[in-house]
Amino acid sequence: MRVTFPHLGNAYIAIEALLQGLGHEPVTPPLSTKRTIEWGSRYSPEDICLPFKTILGNMLEGIELGADSVYMLGGWGPCRLGYYAEIQRIILLDLGKQVEFVTLEVPRGNWGLARERLRSIFGSARIRHLFRGCQLAWAKLSVLEEVENLSLQARPREKERGSVSRFLEGQLQKIRLAQSVKTLRELKEETEAGLQDLMDRVSSHAVLRVGIVGEIYTVVEPFVNLRLEERLGSLGVEAVRTISLKEWIEDHVFKNALGLYNQNSLLRSAAGYLHSFVGGHGLESVARSAELSGCLDGIIHIYPLACMPEIMAHGILPQVSADKQIPILSLVVDEHAGETGFQTRLEAFVDLLQRRIYQCQDGRKYI
Amino acid sequence: MSGRKKVYLGVDVGSVSTNFVLLDAGRTASDGVVWKKYLRTNGAPVETLKKGLAAIEQEGKWEIQGAGTTGSGRALAGAMLNADVVKNEITAHAAAALSENPEVATIIEIGGQDSKLIILRDGVVVDFAMNTVCAAGTGSFLDQQAGRLNIPIDRFGALALQSTSPVRIAGRCTVFAESDMIHKQQLGHRTCDIVAGLCASMVRNYLSNLAKGKELKPPIFFQGGVAANVGMQRFFADTLRLPILIPRHFDVMGAIGIAQIARETLESQGKQSGFVGLDVLHSEFVNEGYVCQLCPNQCEIVEIWRDGVFLASWGSRCGRQGQYNASG
């Protein structure tokens, strides 16, 4: 099958390897652009959140490239994501797209349907290939996260503005083409060394560290968050991810399917603020903000307009901010988000953090 | 040249107005404003900037030691002037207010297209909020309604004060506020009551949008173009039950702040200003936007050219500076 799938940051690199292992031909949609959102919004309900619209746009662009199947994540929980796949399936059907729509979710009782889906997913896979594909995909996902995290540290310290992003782009394409776990390991070392060379180690001015919490899709997908991490990097700030895609898959797919996943540690961190799962990453946003406040200079909370779980978190975070003495900036994005206002808020927030540090250091006032 | 006064230039390029301030290099900021100009941007920032500079040149008695730009057009203006500092308007407004009163704890700023709330403690910005995806509660809306009622905007506030019983107007959204206002007019309410209702609803909207969960402590500064509106001043004071202070140069606080930051930056670093000089106003500027096709990112690039020479570009994700327009 020629399979297309929605984008989520650089995850496409791992997804391609996985699909190849399953014996399918991946049809990767072009990276999300303005066209993706415009196309997706045209056929989406107006008041649905931005991830839905972007994902639908990815699907349409993938189908345009000749895909005959669409893979999409499902889920069940208070977040609306659970029914996105179904609505998108119906929208594509209404648009007359002749595609097979496969929703990947942990089955809840309906084993007949699950069997049917599994049959189409594993259609032509050979066990040997399948194992190798899974192994390669997982290795790619791990390497991706590691090099991305390294680049977050390197970006605010780069000698020439933009050099880290440019270098990373090239390395990502190499990772995409890698065919063995060994090559990936070498690529990781190569990237690490390359980033070291781009960094300015002479001027060791203190770099601010800002944690990013919020709705996972918005946090991970750079087109949707207006390249938040890169913007922070060029303002001389190290962005610290609190959401790992790899961890999310481990928790919510593997452990959850086996009944091993629980949220006790999150609930402990969020104690006093939030005592239950509110869907999506709402609980994570509160828990991570509370637990990381000690080792960060500030926190940015980002979510798409109308995201219910994060609206809950938004209401709670000011209290966390006051108790833990850490500035928190909440940012809301949708397809009408203006870059100027976004940048202004970021710059003002960074100024604010900088001044706090200066004031702590020598008691003087800087404006 | 010796007879000319040494000054720092601050330019705040906003959506509705572009403000210019010259700050005496020898005096503290609050009383150092030696010249100011408030021009309508009219969607043409380059032309407006030139107009302002022409006015400075005409005076012929200033020697500019350094320049800073702020506001939504700060990057463009910064490139044109080769400004020493290009900073966001929140920092600039805070700097100006602090120079007027180091104790200031709250700044309410309402401009043409956005409104801001800045919270300060001990002279440091600790929190801020900007209105999000909505124009209700900004100067443009008042401007538009004044136009519709045929009342000059500078008389709008005074008219509101004449009201004895302001009507209640739905202020959540400008579109609904307008239809509600028309409805109240048809019912025969007095114009001054409607105008007062409008000011009150703007204050309500501002406070519920921006001030939720924030502690507004005095001294409170009210600045930005809308601070000229005495009706708004009164409703803020009534609602908050606190005195509202209007700084002397409330309409150009952003420009004052950025001029001052330019001065402090240059002085503390002991650097020479990079300001291009007033001759720049005789140059021809061309800006051009296009989608870069060099990689799949599809960045929307804007380039600016001065007299046929490439000056700067924005919007590229990779940080490239330079012209990449195949046609250009």
Side-chain angles (χ1 to χ4, degrees):
Chain A
M1 288 197 295
R2 292 170 54 78
V3 178
T4 195
F5 51 89
H7 273 297
L8 181 56
N10 293 316
Y12 71 95
I13 293 173
I15 298 173
E16 281 174 352
L18 180 66
L19 287 171
Q20 278 161 353
L22 288 166
H24 300 306
E25 186 190 336
V27 182
T28 308
L31 291 176
S32 302
T33 60
K34 214 167 80 175
R35 179 176 184 261
T36 316
I37 291 193
E38 279 169 9
W39 204 357
S41 309
R42 197 181 311 155
Y43 300 113
S44 300
E46 162 60 23
D47 53 359
I48 208 124
C49 71
L50 185 59
F52 181 99
K53 296 172 182 170
T54 320
I55 288 171
L56 184 65
N58 286 150
M59 290 172 178
L60 289 166
E61 287 187 319
I63 294 169
E64 185 184 41
L65 291 178
D68 57 25
S69 320
V70 175
Y71 281 15
M72 169 66 186
L73 271 179
W76 28 272
C79 167
R80 294 189 286 186
L81 174 74
Y83 67 72
Y84 280 6
E86 189 54 20
I87 297 177
Q88 282 159 340
R89 187 184 69 80
I90 295 169
I91 291 175
L92 292 180
L93 196 69
D94 285 349
L95 288 174
K97 306 286 179 195
Q98 303 285 332
V99 287
E100 185 176 351
F101 198 103
V102 181
T103 309
L104 309 168
E105 60 191 334
V106 181
R108 251 189 162 181
N110 192 348
W111 294 104
L113 183 65
R115 199 161 50 234
E116 200 180 299
R117 279 188 187 151
L118 285 175
R119 196 173 298 143
S120 86
I121 295 168
F122 290 107
S124 52
R126 301 242 178 89
I127 292 297
R128 198 158 47 88
H129 290 167
L130 180 64
F131 176 72
R132 221 184 73 87
C134 289
Q135 195 189 19
L136 192 65
W138 192 251
K140 285 193 176 188
L141 190 63
S142 312
V143 172
L144 279 173
E145 292 213 332
E146 281 170 58
V147 301
E148 282 168 5
N149 280 329
L150 285 173
S151 71
L152 292 181
Q153 291 167 20
R155 209 172 272 128
R157 299 171 174 91
E158 65 191 355
K159 281 181 264 189
E160 183 202 334
R161 193 171 109 53
S163 58
V164 166
S165 299
R166 273 203 297 276
F167 174 68
L168 184 68
E169 202 110 319
Q171 293 306 99
L172 289 177
Q173 291 315 309
K174 287 190 197 165
I175 295 173
R176 187 179 184 186
L177 295 175
Q179 285 302 324
S180 75
V181 177
K182 185 168 158 283
T183 324
L184 286 170
R185 214 174 299 136
E186 287 161 6
L187 277 172
K188 196 198 125 199
E189 279 161 27
E190 182 188 306
T191 313
E192 217 171 325
L195 287 173
Q196 284 292 334
D197 288 343
L198 294 173
M199 269 151 62
D200 183 0
R201 269 158 300 172
V202 188
S203 88
S204 60
H205 63 283
V207 168
L208 291 170
R209 298 178 79 233
V210 171
I212 300 177
V213 301
E215 187 275 325
I216 182 168
Y217 185 85
T218 323
V219 169
V220 177
E221 176 58 45
F223 181 70
V224 167
N225 65 31
L226 302 166
R227 307 183 333 272
L228 176 63
E229 290 173 348
E230 285 174 34
R231 278 175 200 266
L232 286 172
S234 58
L235 288 172
V237 173
E238 180 185 328
V240 179
R241 285 192 186 170
T242 64
I243 290 178
S244 146
L245 203 54
K246 201 178 132 199
E247 224 171 79
W248 187 83
I249 294 173
E250 280 169 356
D251 288 347
H252 292 258
V253 180
F254 300 145
K255 288 189 193 166
N256 205 354
L258 301 172
L260 294 173
Y261 178 60
N262 66 53
Q263 297 178 311
N264 292 347
S265 76
L266 287 174
L267 288 167
R268 258 197 306 279
S269 296
Y273 300 108
L274 188 58
H275 54 73
S276 61
F277 177 60
V278 292
H281 273 66
L283 177 62
E284 268 94 338
S285 291
V286 175
R288 299 279 181 247
S289 300
E291 77 191 21
L292 292 172
S293 55
C295 57
L296 295 170
D297 296 300
I299 291 171
I300 289 178
H301 173 224
I302 186 164
Y303 64 93
L305 189 72
C307 172
M308 183 278 290
E310 298 303 331
I311 289 173
M312 309 270 275
H314 189 165
I316 297 167
L317 287 176
Q319 194 54 48
V320 179
S321 170
D323 291 349
K324 310 276 178 185
Q325 294 282 306
I326 183 161
I328 301 181
L329 175 70
S330 282
L331 294 168
V332 185
V333 290
D334 77 345
E335 68 269 35
H336 306 294
E339 284 202 22
T340 317
F342 192 82
Q343 180 72 18
T344 301
R345 285 172 176 81
L346 284 184
E347 284 179 19
F349 188 63
V350 172
D351 276 353
L352 177 161
L353 299 178
Q354 202 82 60
R355 299 250 147 72
R356 261 169 64 99
I357 303 287
Y358 285 154
Q359 210 197 21
C360 291
Q361 278 168 355
D362 57 7
R364 273 174 62 193
K365 284 172 191 165
Y366 290 79
I367 273 287
Chain B
M1 290 292 269
S2 59
R4 296 185 175 198
K5 200 165 210 158
K6 292 188 172 162
V7 290
Y8 285 91
L9 169 66
V11 186
D12 181 353
V13 185
S15 49
V16 173
S17 71
T18 301
N19 312 327
F20 300 81
V21 153
L22 292 178
L23 212 59
D24 191 327
R27 276 191 285 174
T28 59
S30 56
D31 60 352
V33 179
V34 289
W35 183 85
K36 66 174 182 177
K37 194 149 191 84
Y38 185 98
L39 294 173
R40 292 234 153 200
T41 310
N42 291 332
V46 176
E47 295 315 310
T48 316
L49 194 64
K50 282 187 180 178
K51 223 190 278 174
L53 294 176
I56 296 174
E57 194 185 44
Q58 219 168 29
E59 297 241 324
K61 51 184 180 190
W62 314 112
E63 188 188 333
I64 294 170
Q65 299 282 295
T69 60
T70 185
S72 49
R74 61 185 178 277
L76 177 68
M80 283 174 65
L81 301 178
N82 195 24
D84 301 303
V85 287
V86 178
K87 275 225 179 255
N88 65 82
E89 49 273 37
I90 290 172
T91 304
H93 273 282
L98 284 168
S99 75
E100 182 104 2
N101 179 352
E103 307 283 296
V104 62
T106 305
I107 300 170
I108 294 171
E109 197 269 343
I110 305 187
Q113 229 161 52
D114 60 18
S115 40
K116 307 172 196 70
L117 171 67
I118 308 173
I119 308 283
L120 307 100
R121 294 291 179 262
D122 305 319
V124 178
V125 178
V126 293
D127 200 2
F128 62 85
M130 282 171 82
N131 66 334
T132 40
V133 281
C134 177
T138 66
S140 296
F141 176 57
L142 276 186
D143 220 20
Q144 196 191 335
Q145 296 315 321
R148 216 179 57 79
L149 293 170
N150 246 330
I151 303 165
I153 186 73
D154 41 343
R155 275 197 42 231
F156 209 71
L159 192 62
L161 288 188
Q162 289 170 15
S163 160
T164 44
S165 69
V167 294
R168 193 166 174 90
I169 288 175
R172 175 68 61 205
C173 163
T174 53
V175 178
F176 297 144
E178 180 164 337
S179 47
D180 198 24
M181 227 175 77
I182 294 172
H183 173 68
K184 298 277 153 66
Q185 279 178 302
Q186 320 284 49
L187 285 180
H189 285 282
R190 286 165 35 189
T191 309
C192 66
D193 288 340
I194 291 172
V195 168
L198 203 60
C199 292
S201 87
M202 269 195 61
V203 168
R204 259 201 319 274
N205 193 302
Y206 176 95
L207 292 176
S208 58
N209 255 333
L210 300 185
K212 269 269 154 68
K214 295 188 168 48
E215 193 187 0
L216 306 192
K217 277 193 190 168
I220 301 178
F221 268 32
F222 182 17
Q223 52 200 48
V226 175
N229 185 317
V230 284
M232 293 288 290
Q233 294 173 15
R234 228 234 2 240
F235 286 111
F236 265 119
D238 287 356
T239 315
L240 295 172
R241 292 163 202 260
L242 286 167
I244 302 289
L245 308 172
I246 315 291
R248 219 178 326 162
H249 304 290
F250 64 88
D251 52 341
V252 294
M253 291 296 269
I256 296 177
I258 201 68
Q260 198 182 329
I261 294 173
R263 179 174 71 184
E264 279 169 23
T265 309
L266 288 172
E267 278 173 2
S268 70
Q269 298 177 350
K271 271 205 288 199
Q272 275 288 305
S273 170
F275 178 59
V276 284
L278 290 174
D279 292 344
V280 71
L281 73 97
H282 304 297
S283 292
E284 193 178 333
F285 287 92
V286 178
N287 34 359
E288 194 186 353
Y290 60 92
V291 176
C292 177
Q293 301 295 348
L294 285 181
C295 82
N297 284 338
Q298 307 226 344
C299 299
E300 282 179 47
I301 312 270
V302 179
E303 285 178 3
I304 177 155
W305 297 64
R306 178 184 174 183
D307 294 330
V309 180
F310 173 79
L311 201 60
S313 69
W314 297 270
S316 84
R317 190 182 151 181
C318 61
R320 274 194 186 93
Q321 275 285 323
Q323 78 260 38
Y324 287 90
N325 188 358
S327 69

